[in-house]
Amino acid sequence: MFSTVLVANRGEIALRVARACRELGIRTVAVYSTADRDSAVVRFADQAVHIGPPPSRGSYLSVPAIIEAALQTGAQAIHPGYGFLSEDPDFAEICEMHGIVFIGPPAPVMQQLGDKAVARTVMAGAGLPVLPGSIGALTSAAEAKELAREVGYPVILKAVAGGGGRGMAVVRGADQLRLAYRETQAHARAVFGDDRLYLERFVEDARHVEVQVLCDTHGSVIHLGERDCSVQRRHQKLIEESPAPGLSPAVRDALRAAAVRGAAAVGFVGAGTFEFVLTPEHEFYLMEINCRLQVEHTVTELVTGVDIVREQITIAAGLPLSVRQEDVTVRGVAIECRVNAEDPERDFAPAPGLLAEFVPPGGPFVRVDTHAFPGWRVGPDYDSLLAKTSVWAPDRDQAIARMDRALGEFQVAGSGVRTTLGFLREMLAHPLFRTARHTTGLVGSRHEATGPATEEPARVG
Amino acid sequence: MFSTVLVANRGEIALRVARACRELGIRTVAVYSTADRDSAVVRFADQAVHIGPPPSRGSYLSVPAIIEAALQTGAQAIHPGYGFLSEDPDFAEICEMHGIVFIGPPAPVMQQLGDKAVARTVMAGAGLPVLPGSIGALTSAAEAKELAREVGYPVILKAVAGGGGRGMAVVRGADQLRLAYRETQAHARAVFGDDRLYLERFVEDARHVEVQVLCDTHGSVIHLGERDCSVQRRHQKLIEESPAPGLSPAVRDALRAAAVRGAAAVGFVGAGTFEFVLTPEHEFYLMEINCRLQVEHTVTELVTGVDIVREQITIAAGLPLSVRQEDVTVRGVAIECRVNAEDPERDFAPAPGLLAEFVPPGGPFVRVDTHAFPGWRVGPDYDSLLAKTSVWAPDRDQAIARMDRALGEFQVAGSGVRTTLGFLREMLAHPLFRTARHTTGLVGSRHEATGPATEEPARVG
Amino acid sequence: MKPERAEWERRAGERRESDRRADGDVDAPRPVRPLPSGGVALDELCRNVVRLAQATGAPPRRIRLQDGQTTVEVEWPDPVAGPVASVSPAALAAAAADERAAGPDAEAPDALGYVRAPMVGTFYHASAPDAPPFVRVGDLVEAGQPVGVLEAMKMMSTITTQTGGRVVEILAPNAQPVEFDQRLIALEPVAADEDAR
Amino acid sequence: MKPERAEWERRAGERRESDRRADGDVDAPRPVRPLPSGGVALDELCRNVVRLAQATGAPPRRIRLQDGQTTVEVEWPDPVAGPVASVSPAALAAAAADERAAGPDAEAPDALGYVRAPMVGTFYHASAPDAPPFVRVGDLVEAGQPVGVLEAMKMMSTITTQTGGRVVEILAPNAQPVEFDQRLIALEPVAADEDAR
């Protein structure tokens, strides 16, 4: 086992990873930008290194700074969290070159799955269902148009290098295709530095269901059940739950089996997520594969009892999985709500500020993952995730009631600070959500095109 | 189901009960003394009634004030929490007289089990193992001496009306008996208003193991596994866990069966606990039966997934248990640590004060039950319980590591405030505890006689 | 849902209100703990605080000085509650909210005395539904005089005033529930000579 | 267990230290440690706060000073509700953000200038183990002059000073790791005529 691990991230996930390390008896090194000098993980970690200025390209995205910090502090491994460098195969390779273990899938696997067009092709080859669409990247708008005609409208254009809900546009008719192609291409070039696109049929009224997999270096490939993440706003997940409600045993088993088959096919190692679109007829198609920890891993942990971050670390250290597939049982229902420092009244604009009051909920079957504390200043430099509130209950109704109770007692106040707490409670109370008949259109922004280009990688999962 | 429930308690347990009510859709009424006017449950509840001054005899122990508050607010039921009036059969009867449901066992059952000498006799009759000792209450020191000679020293003298670790004295030889008798009698008279005593053989190096039972009004009697509560200081529990470590399946089954048999024998209804002393040879003997929620119910909830407070309420409303015995599975290991506002350096003297900083731990598999928050003033009027930290893990070693991590990140500061956080971590690190070979003597105060007489009922369970 | 949340906010308001009260409703610094050997430190502190207040135009809210075993902690009232010369709209709104949430007992310290409820119960103005009330506004009462009845657990107990004075207001309505320590009747002190008349 | 806890406490100490810096010293010189006594510390603090307040026109919200056994903590009321009408919350927030962003060595502008590490790496005083150091204490340097080398990811980059002056101290030892923005070399400004000599 590693004696020192560097956590190359910030916010709640950096603390989450550092906690897992502490419980494993591993010394933790935090890295921080100037904006995060007083952050929770800096307080918590055994050592902390100041790696750069607030803009993440000079700090959390700076490969040299992070590698140097790892070398200086004797870290044998780096956990990248989610976002930032977590799915960057170059970073994984550079870690390896310096004798540092990258806690994640092997670089070639990330390379392959990071190219969404390649991933689509590989997975179709492994027998996973993919939506009708392009094989490999498109070469021109004309090709796209021709293909769309074959596939049938609506279609969705996606950046090959995209993911996490960014770099995509739904096209409803041939007359819109050329413009959408140009715009999405420009967006992809600006954000990902790669303007290649691919095209798929677009499913209306779809649900987003994803399967968590764990793979060790000894050939074990298991799933930890699935999550429903259909409550989204502009492709950003807001509420997630496990298991996915209302699936027949046959569909559930098929989903899980598909993910395990796909993971085995590419030689996946570590924790990954197979994201599927589920049609109203409960047919499912692969959307993309994430080579990292997801934000919403907590709900899977609550129903299975498996500590996913711990498994990531022990897998990277060469140990076998702590559980076999037959040991994994899904008990009850878990829900996660992302409490963001955003103002729902102002189109969810970030609402940063100094937290004068911050009392998270507690009590039975409530878990809170947060880096915030009274006196913490929610800054404008990074994403607006303030706290993840997760609950467990024997059934879905009780879990919803418990989440509503928990969100109701969450006290956050500070000059300028607004949160999505009230909005989340409205979503929980929505009849479609309560009866598990909701789709990604619930929040009412499904048909919107790509969001504004921002510097930060979106934290969809 | 009730539409309004009054919570006749304070502190973390009042909040715990109010949370359960909220999740059940029940309106909650808090009652508070002047000292608790800004308390968490007063904030949380739908309504709050000021019932008396800080001394609990005029507020939390004032039957008229609580009944009046219930009548004023239209409460159909009262949850008494633990301590205070929770095991008072007179209170239960008065509730009934006023058409209010007392959430707890029927008054006659409480009456019977509250008299420890009677309970001993009744349970022996039901076939539960009891330690050799007196049948019924002692009538004189001479009788005690005669009986002690038969039973063999050491023996323990206990107040018939006692419980919760108070009103008892270990006697190691005949020469000490008369004095111990007089002192314990005086103590019992002062604290319980009942100076009757009984006597049992005292087991050295014992463990304290207790079984949680749930009984509904439809004849179902089930157990939720057992807890080990051997880490005690002066008979006050500090660390509890479930399941009890190191028991053979045969002993575990016998313990659980005994509790179920005992509960059925007395017509128990609600949540109760059968406390046993476990000898180094893993023989067990009944100590006492608690007719209320225990402080440490959280660990049972974490391993079974059963919300015990919710069951208490639904049982009182006449509903059947939500689970059958065969549905109850104990998964993993849960540990609870009681974080008290006490100064371990000064013999655990209460260390109240204003909480300038209060950041409880969070993250994976950590549950915190607390009424404290930044700005809350820990007062001198009540017991010193500040927060219960509970963790779950697949096995005991991981649970201990997790608890140590959680306690390590718990930040409490304030002028005058000291906590047992560091002391608890020392206990967790103790080789005897780590290897589950600890007994109630671990903290080193086992041989001490009764603690000082204080106004508040001790919150041992 | 809605009433629950409204209630929650009301309670939060109450808490702020009582925080304010707990912080001290006087202008003078309030030493929380006396110092064994900290007289000099306190002296020093106060002298410096005066300088600070003069320099900034506002007294601090809290000062704490600790040296080894010695701690001095001083708190000032929140300016919302204090005599604020130039009041901002935000402060006014906050003050109004406090007042709304504060309930019947949150009045400024005044010259009045109060008869308070000795316990939770139902307050009656008269000994029977058809009997005249014990007191009316304007009445002069003497210490020990019955002024109402409290019913708790079906038991009636007479409430007497501990001080004499003129009844200014009957604060708790007839036959309505009251909480512990709730103000029932407001009394205005009466000068000794007037009292004697 | 033990080292972990010790480490934790060390960090807690560090945190307080950095809180103090972040909260307290915007403009005033940081008190030189160790502080002889609480009284002197307080004197020092207050003197500096007076200057600070006069300079900024608004009192800080909180100041805490700790040195060994000595802690001084001062909080001012939230200016939003207080009598300080001239300062908007937005301005305060901006000021606080500036403060926060100022970095680890956000000390009061003193007379010295600093060459800082542009990134995490290893700092070398000389271009090779047997080469003479780029600069020594007492040397006069010009803007743009090389003063050291930083190695990061096996790449050597020359560090040059952006301002001229006299080298007062080499703060980072040779061949040791440095963090982003860490002070490497302290420079004393030199009068133009002296510089010209």
Side-chain angles (χ1 to χ4, degrees), chain A residues 313-396:
Chain A
I313 297 167
T314 53
I315 289 168
L319 298 177
L321 294 179
S322 75
V323 284
R324 294 161 306 170
Q325 186 67 68
E326 56 265 39
D327 302 328
V328 178
T329 53
V330 172
R331 174 149 110 174
V333 173
I335 303 179
E336 179 194 76
C337 279
R338 303 191 189 187
V339 180
N340 293 332
E342 295 171 355
D343 189 350
E345 311 262 304
R346 297 185 186 186
D347 199 30
F348 295 86
L354 182 70
L355 296 176
E357 193 175 21
F358 187 82
V359 182
F365 305 105
V366 172
R367 164 181 175 176
V368 179
D369 286 77
T370 184
H371 58 296
F373 51 87
W376 170 246
R377 181 175 290 280
V378 182
D381 298 298
Y382 311 107
D383 71 67
S384 57
L385 182 60
L386 193 62
K388 301 184 328 200
T389 303
S390 310
V391 303
W392 179 93
D395 61 45
R396 192 168 185 270

Side-chain angles (χ1 to χ4, degrees), chain A residues 128-173:
Chain A
L128 272 70
V130 297
L131 284 163
S134 50
I135 296 170
L138 298 164
T139 53
S140 68
E143 185 195 346
K145 202 163 180 174
E146 173 62 20
L147 195 59
R149 202 183 49 76
E150 283 174 33
V151 165
Y153 288 94
V155 297
I156 186 164
L157 281 168
K158 293 185 181 180
V160 160
R166 300 199 313 145
M168 53 178 69
V170 175
V171 185
R172 308 203 160 268

Side-chain angles (χ1 to χ4, degrees), chain A residues 22 32 34 37-38 42-53 64-65 67-69 72 94 98 354 377 415, chain D residues 4 7-8 10-11 15 18-19 61 89 93 96 100-101 103-104 119-122 151-153 177-181:
Chain A
R22 175 76 40 89
Y32 62 95
T34 311
R37 55 179 311 118
D38 300 326
V42 168
R43 293 179 177 202
F44 181 87
D46 296 299
Q47 192 175 352
V49 180
H50 189 190
I51 54 163
I67 296 286
E68 271 300 304
Q72 280 189 10
I94 294 168
H98 286 83
L354 182 70
R377 181 175 290 280
S415 181
Chain D
E4 195 174 299
E7 182 66 16
W8 175 267
R10 189 182 67 72
R11 301 222 148 263
R15 183 170 58 78
S18 57
D19 277 351
R61 207 191 55 165
R100 174 82 36 163
M119 71 169 295
V120 183
T122 303
E151 179 189 1
M153 301 276 286
V178 293
E179 298 184 35
F180 169 72
D181 212 34

Side-chain angles (χ1 to χ4, degrees), chain D residues 25-110:
Chain D
D25 48 9
V26 174
D27 181 342
R30 204 148 50 117
V32 183
R33 29 176 38 235
L35 296 172
S37 79
V40 175
L42 188 65
D43 231 73
E44 192 125 5
L45 173 73
C46 293
R47 216 170 40 242
N48 291 322
V49 167
V50 168
R51 285 167 53 189
L52 171 63
Q54 284 168 347
T56 61
R61 207 191 55 165
R62 186 166 73 94
I63 288 192
R64 178 164 61 174
L65 176 60
Q66 178 188 355
D67 193 285
Q69 292 288 63
T70 307
T71 304
V72 183
E73 191 171 330
V74 187
E75 269 187 38
W76 275 257
D78 196 334
V80 177
V84 186
S86 55
V87 180
S88 74
L92 275 174
D98 285 351
E99 218 171 281
R100 174 82 36 163
D105 303 324
E107 292 175 22
D110 52 25

Side-chain angles (χ1 to χ4, degrees), chain A residues 149-395:
Chain A
R149 202 183 49 76
E150 283 174 33
V151 165
Y153 288 94
V155 297
I156 186 164
L157 281 168
K158 293 185 181 180
V160 160
R166 300 199 313 145
M168 53 178 69
V170 175
V171 185
R172 308 203 160 268
D175 53 326
Q176 301 163 15
L177 188 76
R178 199 166 291 272
L179 178 64
Y181 189 90
R182 264 210 309 278
E183 284 183 358
T184 309
Q185 195 174 39
H187 182 73
R189 188 163 46 232
V191 178
F192 309 112
D194 178 349
D195 66 0
R196 291 175 304 145
L197 304 182
Y198 69 108
L199 178 148
E200 281 178 348
R201 191 168 72 203
F202 179 72
V203 182
E204 306 273 4
D205 296 322
R207 281 170 60 185
H208 173 121
V209 177
E210 61 187 28
V211 180
Q212 174 74 54
V213 298
L214 283 182
C215 312
D216 64 19
T217 53
H218 304 266
S220 288
V221 180
I222 68 169
H223 71 81
L224 298 180
E226 75 293 330
R227 299 181 284 255
D228 185 301
C229 313
S230 301
V231 183
Q232 304 184 355
R233 185 186 163 275
R234 300 191 183 208
H235 306 289
Q236 302 294 315
K237 297 171 188 167
L238 300 171
I239 302 177
E240 301 99 340
E241 58 183 293
S242 182
L247 298 189
S248 70
V251 170
R252 199 183 300 278
D253 289 348
L255 268 167
R256 293 169 171 184
V260 167
R261 192 162 64 245
V266 290
F268 200 92
V269 174
T273 302
F274 283 67
E275 298 194 338
F276 296 94
V277 56
L278 186 78
T279 71
E281 296 74 34
H282 283 206
E283 287 160 355
F284 59 86
Y285 300 96
L286 183 70
M287 275 195 297
E288 62 183 63
I289 301 161
N290 293 317
C291 294
R292 56 172 161 84
L293 190 63
Q294 307 271 111
V295 174
E296 62 271 22
H297 72 279
T298 58
V299 292
T300 300
E301 293 186 329
L302 285 174
V303 292
T304 62
V306 176
D307 182 334
I308 295 173
V309 178
R310 184 188 182 98
E311 295 295 325
Q312 286 188 297
I313 297 167
T314 53
I315 289 168
L319 298 177
L321 294 179
S322 75
V323 284
R324 294 161 306 170
Q325 186 67 68
E326 56 265 39
D327 302 328
V328 178
T329 53
V330 172
R331 174 149 110 174
V333 173
I335 303 179
E336 179 194 76
C337 279
R338 303 191 189 187
V339 180
N340 293 332
E342 295 171 355
D343 189 350
E345 311 262 304
R346 297 185 186 186
D347 199 30
F348 295 86
L354 182 70
L355 296 176
E357 193 175 21
F358 187 82
V359 182
F365 305 105
V366 172
R367 164 181 175 176
V368 179
D369 286 77
T370 184
H371 58 296
F373 51 87
W376 170 246
R377 181 175 290 280
V378 182
D381 298 298
Y382 311 107
D383 71 67
S384 57
L385 182 60
L386 193 62
K388 301 184 328 200
T389 303
S390 310
V391 303
W392 179 93
D395 61 45

